Amino acid sequence: MESAIAEFLPEAKNCIHIYFNRPSASDDGQPVPIAGPLQPEFTYQLFGENETILGYRDPNIRLDFIGGDMRPRVQIQYEEKVDLSTIPKFSEQQVDLDEAFREHLPEAAFSTTENGKPSPDMSTWKPPGTMIKDFKANGKSYEVWSASLADAAALQLWQNVQILVLFYVDGASPLELDEDWTYKRWTLHLLYEVTPSDGSASSSYILNGLATSHRYWLPPTTNVMRWARSLPSPPTSTNGASSPQRLPKLERADNDDSRIFKETVELLEQPCRERVSQFLIFPPYQGESLGTRMYQTLFDHYWKQPNVYEIPVEDPNEDFDVMRDYADVQYLRTVPEFSQLSIASTLAPEKLRKQCPIPREDILGNGVDLEALRHKCKIAPRQFNRLVEIHLLSTIPPHHRSRARISRKDKSNSENDRKYYFWRLALKARVYSQNADVLDQLSDDPEARVEQIEATVDRVQIEYEERLEGLKKRIAVAAEEQNGTLSRGTKRTRVIVESEDESSDDASKKQKL
């Protein structure tokens, strides 16, 4: 019985074959393959945690994506189908292949009449929305376009490709678009490789990757309004000195029509967080640093918008964090206030007393208002704190980054040893504040907790050292590319990435580059 049923329990990802194609200009209408067959990495969104296609023998699912608009076409075949829902063990796992894919693909994907032929207007087709960046890399030309999902063309494109996000982004889920107003809050960002158009039906745009972002409005507190650059400049007195800013007096409208507030408020232009959500570079185009380019483009695009208070990322995994750290550190080092940060080498004795909190701001800020700098850079707190620590570790010579050198703590004769001691002290403060509840439950022994924190700091430092070494290599490769000395045979490290909701202090899809 078990062996017979095993024939009808194939592993889902081995049965799904994905192809990327250019639309065809030939009479037979057959698309021109770019890449494939590819297999998905995750299928649990369609087939459950076991990721098996229960009830089918030798299923074969071919999924084609064609042209710049990524119109999909699915073909489902199998040798035999049986109903196993009457067996208690499998009752909840029985699937209907057609229904499983119809939930995540537009109805046109199941049509057998088009046969993959390009639409007549593909030679003049343009991506939806607005182009926000164009660049050259790897000897190719690229463009990044952004469009609100309130745009029908952008929404259709998203519906065409959303299944790929489920297949390649661990933890991804369909966007919540239950109400009309939610479409305006979601933005679709598209990374296209652009090839010269030959005037045929073949599109000059080939989609290489995409991202989504979601706008979260913020309560208009004074702090938010100030850093979102929404507060008006205070009036100046006749002698040029600034006078205290006064808010307008509020009065009841009653029946006096002249007092009624009539101005239309555009909610999308109010102070907000623009949270990067799903993020995916398609498998055929990974390993070319396109994810970094895409992320940098989105960050720069939203940083320039005055009402954007912060640019967090929703639930990034470890691999995405690596790419993001590289991109963010490179960006921050172009900010003079950040690049000039230094670690304090001395502190007042009263600030180092055991009963006093660790003076993290004094150590890492060393006279600079780190919170003001963070707001200026629009980076979420957790990420900004890590970036400060990574950058300042790079200012300490490598041979001074050892616990063995700081036995005398702040009394060391070496300035770099003192800086390293203070750097670790600041890192310990953050590690403890973020994990106080867990650490306090580990042991009633204070010394055991201290050692646990020390071990955690050691692991974090190793991670930071790896970031700095990777950053050094990336900068060297970029310099070689710019100078034209990078060998064509040079292999890049493939960056496979996924996306932490770190909207300030809260946490919540993952991404892949």
Side-chain angles (χ1 to χ4, degrees), residues 105-117:
L105 288 171
E107 189 60 33
F110 300 86
S111 172
T112 59
T113 59
E114 294 187 7
N115 195 31
K117 292 183 179 180

Side-chain angles (χ1 to χ4, degrees), residues 281-337:
I281 300 299
F282 300 142
Y285 314 110
Q286 293 174 13
E288 298 293 335
S289 295
L290 294 179
T292 301
R293 295 272 197 165
M294 180 77 159
Y295 172 77
Q296 290 172 328
T297 297
L298 298 189
F299 187 92
D300 184 62
H301 174 65
Y302 285 117
W303 185 87
K304 292 176 180 176
Q305 297 184 19
N307 63 311
V308 174
Y309 171 77
E310 216 167 64
I311 311 168
V313 176
E314 187 173 359
D315 196 19
N317 76 351
E318 182 178 349
D319 289 331
F320 184 84
D321 272 336
V322 173
M323 179 280 297
R324 185 184 178 205
D325 284 346
Y326 292 145
D328 285 348
V329 168
Q330 286 181 282
Y331 153 65
L332 286 171
R333 285 179 173 176
T334 67
V335 179
E337 300 95 318

